[in-house]
Amino acid sequence: GALEHARKTIKEIINVKEIKSIEEIKNLIITRKFTKSSNLYKVQQVHIKVAEKIKDRGIHLNLGDRIQYLIYQGREEKATDRADTPEYIIENGLKLDTKYYIEKQLFPPLKRFFNCFDIRDVDIWQDAPRVKKTHSRIHKTENNHKQLSLFNW
């Protein structure tokens, strides 16, 4: 059921190594609409930073275009500084930040959903020992049954 599908998805994300095609990572691509000029944003959002990178490469963007991006591993702390187009990531051999995808994109909604059915966090991750070991925030919340928002991370 749903729990098995969640575990399978976690394993697939963990096992992403060298990316050779967009097809391999199509489910991890994040897409946002480019709705206003970059200088109108008070806080630089990820898709706006990626749009600026695209423009710097000489590609014209129109308002209303959809910006596709992925988060890759890097020294920069903020995900906004480690985001780029799928094509750029593949061409430059960058590795996806699987920790980001699991902790920020996948785990919060899974936790909220499964906790409604009294399925504990540890049950979600039982078949993924690498996740338990390398993704420490998951363990820190294991016994906390209070629903967390995205801002609690």
Side-chain angles (χ1 to χ4, degrees), residues 106-120:
L106 191 61
F107 184 67
L110 283 177
K111 177 181 175 58
R112 288 191 300 274
F113 176 77
F114 286 121
N115 285 175
C116 291
F117 301 100
D118 290 327
I119 296 173
R120 300 171 306 142

Side-chain angles (χ1 to χ4, degrees), residues 4-143:
E4 289 75 27
H5 182 72
R7 289 179 185 149
K8 180 180 176 240
T9 302
I10 292 164
K11 286 180 186 178
E12 288 172 2
I13 292 172
I14 290 171
N15 291 325
V16 171
K17 302 290 181 218
E18 185 180 343
I19 308 163
K20 295 179 181 139
S21 73
I22 290 178
E23 186 65 26
E24 296 174 52
I25 52 167
K26 67 181 180 186
N27 293 330
L28 298 176
I29 296 172
I30 302 168
T31 304
R32 297 286 181 266
K33 196 171 191 178
F34 186 53
T35 58
K36 57 186 174 182
S37 181
S38 305
N39 59 350
L40 296 177
Y41 285 89
K42 291 180 182 179
V43 176
Q44 279 288 336
Q45 296 181 9
V46 179
H47 71 290
I48 299 304
K49 282 207 168 186
V50 173
E52 289 299 317
K53 291 177 183 181
I54 293 170
K55 287 180 181 179
D56 290 345
R57 294 178 191 133
I59 300 169
H60 179 74
L61 292 175
N62 295 309
L63 291 181
D65 285 349
R66 299 206 56 88
I67 307 298
Q68 293 186 332
Y69 64 91
L70 295 161
I71 308 297
Y72 59 88
Q73 293 177 11
R75 295 178 189 258
E76 298 85 359
E77 188 173 323
K78 295 181 180 179
T80 55
D81 298 327
R82 294 181 289 109
D84 217 309
T85 64
E87 296 81 8
Y88 181 86
I89 289 172
I90 292 169
E91 289 169 11
N92 291 281
L94 299 173
K95 294 184 178 186
L96 288 185
D97 185 349
T98 56
K99 183 177 179 181
Y100 170 85
Y101 281 94
I102 291 170
E103 288 186 1
K104 302 293 186 182
Q105 297 290 316
L106 191 61
F107 184 67
L110 283 177
K111 177 181 175 58
R112 288 191 300 274
F113 176 77
F114 286 121
N115 285 175
C116 291
F117 301 100
D118 290 327
I119 296 173
R120 300 171 306 142
D121 305 352
V122 70
D123 296 329
I124 300 169
W125 310 113
Q126 78 180 10
D127 293 330
R130 267 185 67 201
V131 174
K132 289 183 205 173
K133 205 164 34 173
T134 60
H135 300 284
S136 57
R137 290 183 180 183
I138 292 168
H139 263 341
K140 288 179 185 173
T141 63
E142 187 174 299
N143 295 321

